[in-house]
Amino acid sequence: MKYKMGKLGKHQFMQKYEAISPLLPDTKAATKSNIKNMLMKYDSLYIKLDEGTGGRGIYKITHDHRGFILRIGTTSRTYTAFEALYHSLARFLNKDRYIVQQGIDLLKHNGRSFDIRVMVQKNRKGEFETTGIVGRLAKPKKIVTNFHSGGTPLPLDTLLQSHLDKAARANFIKKMESLGRRASIVLAESYRSKKAFGVDIAIDSTMKPWILEINTGPDMSIFNELQDKTMYKRMLRYSKF
């Protein structure tokens, strides 16, 4: 099986694998009924372009006693009723294919949310290997962590310091590297010709990892922003294989 899939297609494909499926946030096509039903189940939702990259076209919906809060970038609007919220969403939902995804309460560092990018590449033998891992710290008050949307790349060890001790951090980072590799091997069943994947992982407040998305054309430049260039140089070397 070899074909191009958007976020929803990748999600549905990976759901079939028992080792990965419990780590996938609930994700569906962004229809009116799906959004309404998921708002009853989850504290927050993300609405994303099915084929968007770099943090573009991402909206966050939360709800409280005031109603529904729709956020994009650093701006927000409150709607007292679901119909009014959906009327606002329909303006862009009708133009492009969007997905709706269960919101994950991300771990924070100095009050700012962060997630993880794991880079996985094929080595000389054609086997997948994790070549890099980095934390992405969201800009203050922003809903996305992407580097191209103002997120700050930082060593994951730094971001985990207020959550885990040194030994636990080292162990946790190893687990995330392994998870990124396993998820890439699964998706590679459908993308046989791909030599690199970028796996985006969210960590919730209970330290559970969630696989948000797997990029099939990952940008390595985020790793070049780190002071230590070891991972970036390794990726450049592996990209020649």
Side-chain angles (χ1 to χ4, degrees), residues 186-197:
V186 164
L187 193 59
E189 290 294 318
S190 184
Y191 285 85
R192 299 279 167 85
S193 62
K194 290 289 179 186
K195 295 181 171 59
F197 293 99

Side-chain angles (χ1 to χ4, degrees), residues 212-224:
L212 295 178
E213 189 183 338
I214 302 183
N215 296 272
T216 51
D219 180 8
M220 295 187 289
S221 62
I222 184 175
F223 291 91
N224 196 28

Side-chain angles (χ1 to χ4, degrees), residues 20-182:
I20 295 293
S21 60
L23 306 179
L24 300 173
D26 192 359
T27 305
K28 292 181 169 64
T31 63
K32 186 177 182 179
S33 60
N34 282 343
I35 295 169
K36 192 172 188 177
N37 292 337
M38 286 172 73
L39 277 169
M40 292 178 196
K41 284 175 78 173
Y42 307 112
D43 293 333
S44 66
L45 300 178
Y46 281 88
I47 292 184
K48 307 176 182 182
L49 276 165
D50 191 43
E51 293 190 8
T53 57
R56 291 187 299 276
I58 296 182
Y59 299 79
K60 184 179 184 181
I61 306 171
T62 51
H63 52 97
D64 60 19
H65 64 281
R66 293 169 297 167
F68 303 95
I69 300 121
L70 178 65
R71 293 178 62 197
I72 182 166
T74 55
T75 63
S76 65
R77 278 193 70 181
T78 302
Y79 302 87
T80 52
F82 175 76
E83 288 300 326
L85 166 71
Y86 187 76
H87 181 72
S88 187
L89 294 174
R91 287 177 305 180
F92 59 86
L93 292 184
N94 293 335
K95 289 179 189 169
D96 275 299
R97 272 174 49 193
Y98 280 81
I99 61 158
V100 56
Q101 189 173 68
Q102 167 191 354
I104 305 300
D105 183 22
L106 294 176
L107 270 196
K108 290 182 172 57
H109 174 75
N110 294 338
R112 290 155 64 182
S113 300
F114 70 88
D115 64 9
I116 302 168
R117 163 61 63 90
V118 181
M119 187 76 168
V120 180
Q121 293 169 281
K122 279 187 176 175
N123 59 22
R124 280 185 195 279
K125 297 176 185 171
E127 299 163 339
F128 281 110
E129 208 176 298
T130 299
T131 52
I133 186 166
V134 66
R136 304 183 302 182
L137 185 64
K139 216 174 172 178
K141 298 182 182 173
K142 270 216 164 184
I143 61 168
V144 293
T145 59
N146 302 64
F147 173 45
H148 296 293
S149 299
T152 307
L154 286 168
L156 185 54
D157 187 70
T158 303
L159 296 175
L160 291 171
Q161 277 175 7
S162 57
H163 303 282
L164 298 169
D165 64 34
K166 191 173 182 181
R169 288 200 304 273
N171 187 38
F172 187 81
I173 290 167
K174 278 202 182 84
K175 281 184 179 171
M176 294 308 99
E177 290 173 342
S178 173
L179 176 58
R181 181 175 169 273
R182 288 203 324 268

